Amino acid sequence: MDDISRRRIAVTSSHWGAFEVETEGDRITATRPFAADPNPPSIPAIIPAAVHHHTRVARPAIRRGWLDHRGGGGRGSDDFVELPWDEALDIAAAEIARIRDTHGNTSIFGGSYGWSSAGRFHHAQSQVHRFLNSIGGYVASFGSYSTGCAQAIMPHVFGMNFLEQIYHAQDSWQTIADHTETLVMFGGINPKNAQVSMGGITEHGTASWFDRFAEKGMRRINIGPQRTDAPGGCEWMPLRPATDTALMLALAHVLETEGLTDHAFLDRYTTGFTRFRPYLMGETDGQPKSPDWAAPICGLDPETIRALARRMAGTRTLITVAWSLQRAEHGEQPYWMSAVLAAMLGQIGLPGGGVGYGYGAIGGVGKGLRRLRGMTLDQFANPVREVIPVARIADMLLNPGQDYDFNGKRGPYPDIRLIYWAGGNPFHHHQDLNRLHEAWQRPETIIVNEPWWTPTAKRADIVFPATTPYEREDIGRSDLDEYLYNMPQLIPPVGEARDDYDIFAGLAARIGAEERFTEGRDSATWLRELYAGYRERAAAQGVEVPDFEELRARNWVRLPVEQEGPQATFLSRLRDDPEGAPLATPSGRIEIFSETIEGFGYDDCPGHPVWLPPSEWLGAASNAAPLHLVSPQPGDKLHSQLEPALADVPGARPVALAIHPSDAAARAIAEGAIVRVHNARGACLARAALTDDITPGVVALPTGAWYGDAGENVDPHGNPNVLTPDIGTSKLGQGSSAHTALVQVSLNEG
Ligand SMILES: Nc1nc2c(c(=O)[nH]1)N[C@H]1C(S)=C(S)[C@@H](COP(=O)(O)OP(=O)(O)OC[C@H]3O[C@@H](n4cnc5c(=O)[nH]c(N)nc54)[C@H](O)[C@@H]3O)O[C@H]1N2
Ligand SMILES: Nc1nc2c(c(=O)[nH]1)N[C@H]1C(S)=C(S)[C@@H](COP(=O)(O)OP(=O)(O)OC[C@H]3O[C@@H](n4cnc5c(=O)[nH]c(N)nc54)[C@H](O)[C@@H]3O)O[C@H]1N2
Ligand SMILES: [Mo]
């Protein structure tokens, strides 16, 4: 690397934005927002403290119990023995080879879900997948905690890959600004979440778009449990969580009974309305899905529902749906039903009308940028066919060989003996962590690459210290951002940390796969080569990017990737030419009824959208658990990253729990009081934050606190995942059901 002894300043990129970093010698001394960002995130300030935090993994470490007598048990309670790199790599490589040779590659779980950090080459998940494929493959995972359920259901409805749809096909912010008159936001559109975008985001524009919407007089209606899920100035309809489908059905019922349904649209572009209508009207089950029916379910008044339906039919209306709605039991239903409601309104394919998903969930959605062909390290094909839905990990570990359903398929869970995790923190992200802790004791060996002693690292057998992005050089680039970065190495690796690439190269060499994994290159060579390929492909698409050395000298460039000409409008091609440009659904149309899904025969996801009460919601509240817990993303960081430094701030932990003053008063809870949030699955501490901006009966505890140590009955930091249920959304989606939880909140005495 360059001379690092002197003071220097450089710009780097992250999942939550670009920022300027000041270094002196081997330390990061300060960070500042990037000048080109109109609305910088608040996160960078704590990076220096986090990077040099005492919770960094200093040296390779092996759990004492595992070192003494191999195998599980004691994970999370044993202490660790530090070893020199060579010795630790020898031991890990021998163990990986032993398990592979004894039990086969189907006994290795390498799903390794997680965001790790930005940067194209040093992307931990790509590195671990390439390594495991170099030695014969691994059991993979499908989907994400973000949108796993939607990724399963939505292709049945619109016939396209869901990620393709949300990142590249939906209406752009510009289209919305130009055409939308009424914006109906289920779960809001939250600039707090839009701070983040995978792979990087430079100009944070969501809040400014809302300023423009307000100026032009667009009605902006946030429907959900928290006023704060949308920017200030939006209308708020306080909704009981998990009841969106009932509300959407009631809106559809108004359209149908008041002659507001666009039947011409349904006839031309959709299939199955005649199979759905009898359910809507109550002909199949004796219950019309009217506003009077939905009002007590949703906690709204029937007249409000009627007025909203008329407004939606009478103006150019865009329905947006937050990802959070499908991170819940039966999450398939609000997603599918929103498409049906939009179809009944007949505005799909018109600019600024119809439906869109995940605006605000991450900052890149809606930017509507041209795509440049990517820059990714080849992960190789995986010879192992077994893939589990990502959120079914604990089920898999607890039930090897047991059959499970997923999106029309049925098959057994593999028998996992080895887990390799790099770039994720399952003991932050998974639901019912006490159950995961039990399941996690099953495999013979668990290896984790991590910069910090996260709760996952603490529960591993072998921990390799990984560098952070500030300790290695990389290229920062995302298709949802206008910028391209050279992310310089700013400081030498902290402690004995190594890049994931070098860790895997070291293991591969010991398992006879060095040539395959490295192809004779080191990371500096890879970086230049991947970049050269990217530059060539960009040029072929008419975009000039500087050569590697010039980019290094310039640090960053803004790319001309704004769309020219007409802006994106979702399904405009279908609308223009339904015969010539059919959807890739079985019918070629939007599927209001799906023969395919009906054919699966699932009780929890039938052939058209329905209201299915979840196992936990306010309609099923009990004395033991009377409050609905939502666990949104944290505003002050990305998931559990940088947590050790944030937790050092006096008074910052346990995490703040939003609670309505009436619910607090009923429990004699005052502002700032330390409370215990609990249910049959677990308990954690939290700090009461009283607010009128939350629906009574609902409490909100953001994710991201580190799960406590083994043996602690009450998580002291406020991790909501000790309370959330580890159940799939349905047999179809099998996504995470994080938002489906009832809890009690009590003053913490003693
Ligand atoms: N209750 C509840 N739970 C949720 C959610 C919810 O809404 N409610 N949301 C879910 C969602 S959508 C998501 S995406 C997940 C997020 O869950 P994760 O993506 O697992 O969370 P992160 O904290 O980002 O974990 C990334 C880890 O990678 C490490 N890391 C960073 N850079 C590197 C690197 O270069 N190399 C290596 N080896 N490691 C690195 C970080 O230190 C960190 O520990 O959480 C899910 N969990
Ligand atoms: N600052 C920050 N931003 C992030 C992240 C982060 O860690 N930090 N993580 C990123 C990631 S990985 C993802 S996937 C996205 C997630 O984006 P989302 O899934 O949209 O975000 P959440 O924060 O889980 O939930 C948003 C809101 O949905 C509401 N909600 C919960 N249940 C319901 C319901 O049943 N009905 C309705 N109408 N509303 C409901 C809650 O009030 C909650 O505040 O965020 C991204 N953005
Ligand atoms: Mo996510």
Side-chain angles (χ1 to χ4, degrees):
M1 70 181 281
D2 303 331
D3 174 23
I4 51 154
S5 57
R6 62 201 161 82
R7 179 170 171 273
R8 20 182 269 175
I9 294 176
V11 171
T12 194
S13 173
S14 75
H15 291 306
W16 55 86
F19 48 93
E20 224 176 69
V21 190
E22 202 177 293
T23 56
E24 222 168 317
D26 59 2
R27 292 188 75 84
I28 298 180
T29 46
T31 47
R32 281 181 290 273
F34 184 51
D37 186 353
N39 197 0
S42 49
I43 300 169
I46 55 150
I47 287 172
V51 169
H52 301 288
H53 201 266
H54 63 83
T55 55
R56 284 294 299 268
V57 182
R59 304 176 69 207
I62 301 192
R63 182 168 67 82
R64 192 180 298 278
W66 187 90
L67 202 55
D68 291 349
H69 45 78
R70 297 298 188 267
R75 292 193 178 116
S77 40
D78 276 358
D79 61 346
F80 282 81
V81 181
E82 292 189 337
L83 290 176
W85 268 104
D86 276 344
E87 227 174 288
L89 286 169
D90 286 347
I91 293 172
E95 180 63 1
I96 295 167
R98 181 191 71 78
I99 290 184
R100 180 192 61 175
D101 297 343
T102 318
H103 303 287
N105 287 78
T106 52
S107 69
I108 302 175
F109 183 67
S112 192
Y113 181 76
W115 271 54
S116 64
S117 41
R120 300 303 310 168
F121 176 71
H122 294 287
H123 179 246
Q125 217 182 58
S126 312
Q127 297 286 354
V128 66
H129 292 166
R130 180 181 168 97
F131 164 68
L132 292 173
N133 284 334
S134 303
I135 62 160
Y138 62 96
V139 174
S141 57
F142 168 85
S144 63
Y145 284 73
S146 317
T147 59
C149 162
Q151 287 180 52
I153 182 80
M154 294 318 280
H156 292 290
V157 182
F158 289 125
M160 66 180 84
N161 176 290
F162 182 69
L163 299 179
E164 189 68 23
Q165 172 182 336
I166 56 181
Y167 296 139
H168 304 294
Q170 290 186 165
D171 291 24
S172 67
W173 289 123
Q174 185 66 58
T175 309
I176 299 170
D178 290 343
H179 300 278
T180 304
E181 293 167 308
T182 308
L183 186 62
V184 179
M185 303 172 277
F186 288 91
I189 289 181
N190 198 328
K192 175 262 288 175
N193 282 9
Q195 290 184 92
V196 162
S197 204
M198 65 281 278
I201 172 163
T202 309
E203 296 174 15
H204 290 86
T206 308
S208 353
W209 282 113
F210 270 79
D211 292 342
R212 289 174 63 176
F213 298 167
E215 272 162 38
K216 78 161 256 201
M218 185 193 302
R219 266 190 79 179
R220 303 157 336 273
I221 306 168
N222 166 27
I223 304 176
Q226 296 195 84
R227 184 196 294 277
T228 49
D229 285 330
C234 296
E235 296 165 52
W236 179 38
M237 287 174 62
L239 185 82
R240 297 166 93 190
T243 66
D244 304 79
T245 307
L247 174 57
M248 292 173 190
L249 283 164
L251 293 166
H253 190 269
V254 177
L255 300 182
E256 193 53 14
T257 50
E258 299 192 4
L260 299 171
T261 306
D262 187 339
H263 285 282
F265 182 93
L266 294 179
D267 290 347
R268 191 137 190 238
Y269 304 106
T270 74
T271 183
F273 185 69
T274 52
R275 307 278 307 264
F276 168 72
R277 191 182 179 283
Y279 168 77
L280 181 67
M281 304 312 285
E283 289 154 20
T284 48
D285 60 357
Q287 177 58 67
K289 309 303 173 300
S290 64
D292 291 321
W293 162 79
I297 295 174
C298 304
L300 296 168
D301 127 67
E303 244 352 276
T304 309
I305 300 175
R306 283 188 197 98
L308 178 63
R310 291 170 197 143
R311 164 88 197 178
M312 290 170 80
T315 56
R316 183 63 58 86
T317 295
L318 183 68
I319 299 168
T320 66
V321 190
W323 291 347
S324 54
L325 274 75
Q326 50 87 62
R327 207 174 303 115
E329 195 181 3
H330 310 315
E332 294 81 5
Q333 303 309 319
Y335 261 56
W336 197 354
M337 187 56 213
S338 63
V340 172
L341 177 59
M344 291 174 70
L345 288 165
Q347 299 184 21
I348 294 177
L350 295 177
V355 63
Y357 303 88
Y359 289 100
I362 60 162
V365 173
K367 282 204 171 199
L369 303 175
R370 277 178 62 198
R371 248 192 291 189
L372 298 182
R373 301 222 333 267
M375 182 174 16
T376 35
L377 182 67
D378 188 359
Q379 298 180 13
F380 306 134
N382 186 349
V384 172
R385 298 260 63 89
E386 274 87 344
V387 177
I388 61 155
V390 67
R392 300 277 51 81
I393 176 170
D395 282 356
M396 169 186 75
L397 296 176
L398 289 168
N399 306 297
Q402 197 184 90
D403 281 346
Y404 69 99
D405 292 288
F406 175 47
N407 204 3
K409 298 194 197 77
R410 190 173 169 79
Y413 283 121
D415 185 359
I416 297 302
R417 309 296 177 116
L418 171 79
I419 295 178
Y420 205 129
W421 220 291
N425 188 0
F427 280 94
H428 149 261
H429 70 228
H430 193 63
Q431 286 56 66
D432 199 349
L433 288 178
N434 295 326
R435 179 173 189 253
L436 180 65
H437 178 81
E438 293 309 315
W440 197 254
Q441 307 298 326
R442 298 282 182 103
E444 292 174 34
T445 298
I446 297 178
I447 310 178
V448 168
N449 296 1
E450 242 300 332
W452 285 274
W453 279 108
T454 62
T456 303
K458 284 188 180 176
R459 284 167 175 79
D461 302 317
I462 303 175
V463 181
F464 289 119
T467 51
T468 69
Y470 322 104
E471 297 152 46
R472 61 198 184 209
E473 185 176 3
D474 212 337
I475 297 290
R477 173 75 195 126
S478 153
D479 265 343
L480 305 178
D481 192 48
E482 301 91 335
Y483 289 71
L484 168 69
Y485 295 89
N486 174 253
M487 298 164 63
Q489 183 185 2
L490 296 162
I491 52 170
V494 170
E496 292 184 15
R498 288 189 183 174
D499 300 346
D500 291 289
Y501 181 76
D502 294 331
I503 299 170
F504 291 124
L507 290 171
R510 288 165 170 81
I511 312 180
E514 180 173 24
E515 179 51 34
R516 177 137 172 84
F517 180 75
T518 66
E519 298 179 52
R521 298 172 177 88
D522 62 8
S523 43
T525 313
W526 271 119
L527 209 55
R528 279 163 182 76
E529 220 159 274
L530 291 175
Y531 184 78
Y534 166 75
R535 183 166 181 253
E536 222 168 85
R537 288 190 296 274
Q541 290 174 273
V543 175
E544 290 297 327
V545 304
D547 69 25
F548 191 81
E549 290 309 325
E550 192 192 335
L551 180 66
R552 272 186 125 191
R554 288 172 62 180
N555 200 170
W556 57 271
V557 290
R558 194 176 195 281
L559 300 175
V561 287
E562 265 106 7
Q563 290 283 6
E564 288 150 24
Q567 288 274 326
T569 296
F570 182 50
L571 297 191
S572 57
R573 286 189 60 223
L574 175 77
R575 191 166 187 115
D576 292 345
D577 186 6
E579 278 75 40
L583 298 180
T585 54
S587 63
R589 296 159 165 229
I590 300 165
E591 303 229 332
I592 293 174
F593 183 93
S594 163
E595 299 285 355
T596 308
I597 294 178
E598 162 97 339
F600 296 161
Y602 296 155
D603 53 352
D604 53 6
C605 191
H608 61 72
V610 293
W611 159 248
L612 290 172
S615 47
E616 296 180 40
W617 68 299
L618 286 175
S622 66
N623 288 338
L627 302 168
H628 194 127
L629 171 78
V630 292
S631 44
Q633 313 293 350
D636 56 353
K637 62 173 185 286
L638 175 67
H639 310 137
S640 68
Q641 301 195 30
L642 312 175
E643 168 65 7
L646 275 167
D648 281 349
V649 177
R653 296 291 172 272
V655 174
L657 172 90
I659 183 168
H660 194 271
S662 61
D663 294 317
R667 293 165 176 78
I669 292 168
E671 175 70 23
I674 302 299
V675 296
R676 211 159 41 85
V677 192
H678 51 103
N679 63 19
R681 287 178 289 270
C684 69
L685 297 185
R687 187 180 305 272
L690 277 53
T691 172
D692 290 321
D693 290 342
I694 194 160
T695 306
V698 183
V699 289
L701 183 64
T703 60
W706 281 4
Y707 177 58
D709 292 330
E712 284 171 338
N713 288 330
V714 180
D715 177 78
H717 314 116
N719 185 318
N721 280 325
V722 298
L723 302 158
T724 53
D726 185 9
I727 52 172
T729 53
S730 80
K731 297 184 188 74
L732 188 119
Q734 291 287 14
S736 154
S737 296
H739 285 299
T740 303
L742 288 171
V743 298
Q744 178 58 291
V745 176
S746 316
L747 209 49
N748 188 47
E749 331 251 19

